C-alpha cells in the first residue's frame, strides 16, 4: 500500500486549495438515503451497513465504522407529504436522557401529530472517527 503525503491539495488551476486536515475535519462520516415505507430499502449510502425499521416512522441507522465517541452531529430531512406539521428527531436507543451510541443512531419522523413512515429519508452525520 502506498501513502501520499501532501501539505495542500488544489484543483488543476492552482486555486481552491485545502489541507488534508481541513478535508478530513469537514467530511461527512456517514450518509444515507432510504425508502422507509414497507420494507426499508437503502437507495444510496456511505458508511452505513443497514437501516433497521424499529416501528412506524422509527428507524435505526447502523454504521459501517464506529465513531470515536458518542458526541457527533446528525442532520435529517424527509419527503413525507402532509398538510400538517412534520418533524424529525434523533432519539438515542436508551431514551431521550441517554447519549447516542458510537455504532448507530435512532431517527424518528412525525407528521400531523403522529409517527409516520417515510417515502424517503435523508440522514447525514459528522464527528470524529
Amino acid at each position: 500500500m502506498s501513502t501520499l503525503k501532501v501539505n495542500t491539495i488544489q484543483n488543476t488551476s492552482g486555486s481552491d486549495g485545502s489541507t488534508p486536515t481541513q478535508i478530513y475535519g469537514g467530511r461527512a462520516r456517514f450518509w444515507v438515503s432510504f425508502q422507509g415505507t414497507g420494507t426499508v430499502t437503502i437507495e444510496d449510502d456511505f458508511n452505513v451497513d443497514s437501516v433497521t425499521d424499529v416501528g412506524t416512522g422509527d428507524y435505526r441507522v447502523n454504521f459501517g465504522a464506529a465513531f470515536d465517541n458518542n458526541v457527533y452531529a446528525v442532520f435529517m430531512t424527509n419527503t413525507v407529504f402532509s398538510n400538517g406539521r412534520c418533524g424529525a428527531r434523533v432519539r438515542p436507543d436508551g431514551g431521550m436522557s441517554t447519549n447516542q451510541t458510537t455504532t448507530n443512531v435512532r431517527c424518528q419522523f412525525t407528521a400531523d401529530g403522529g409517527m409516520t413512515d417515510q417515502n424517503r429519508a435523508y440522514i447525514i452525520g459528522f464527528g470524529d472517527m
Side-chain angles (χ1 to χ4, degrees), residues 10-79:
Q10 295 180 324
N11 64 12
T12 56
S13 67
S15 61
D16 297 326
S18 298
T19 68
T21 301
Q22 290 169 330
I23 293 168
Y24 182 76
R27 185 180 65 157
R29 301 305 189 244
F30 80 90
W31 60 265
V32 64
S33 170
F34 67 90
Q35 182 181 23
T37 57
T39 301
V40 173
T41 304
I42 294 175
E43 296 173 324
D44 205 356
D45 74 281
F46 170 73
N47 192 33
V48 171
D49 276 348
S50 62
V51 176
T52 304
D53 188 348
V54 180
T56 302
D58 193 355
Y59 309 94
R60 183 179 300 112
V61 178
N62 304 295
F63 311 138
F67 280 88
D68 289 345
N69 56 58
N70 61 0
V71 181
Y72 53 89
V74 177
F75 303 93
M76 306 181 320
T77 191
N78 56 335
T79 60

Side-chain angles (χ1 to χ4, degrees), residues 76-112:
M76 306 181 320
T77 191
N78 56 335
T79 60
V80 69
F81 300 102
S82 169
N83 292 327
R85 296 181 178 164
C86 299
R89 65 183 175 208
V90 173
R91 182 188 182 276
D93 272 337
M96 295 309 292
S97 63
T98 307
N99 291 327
Q100 56 202 24
T101 74
T102 60
T103 58
N104 65 64
V105 65
R106 192 149 163 200
C107 304
Q108 296 179 327
F109 297 89
T110 61
D112 300 323

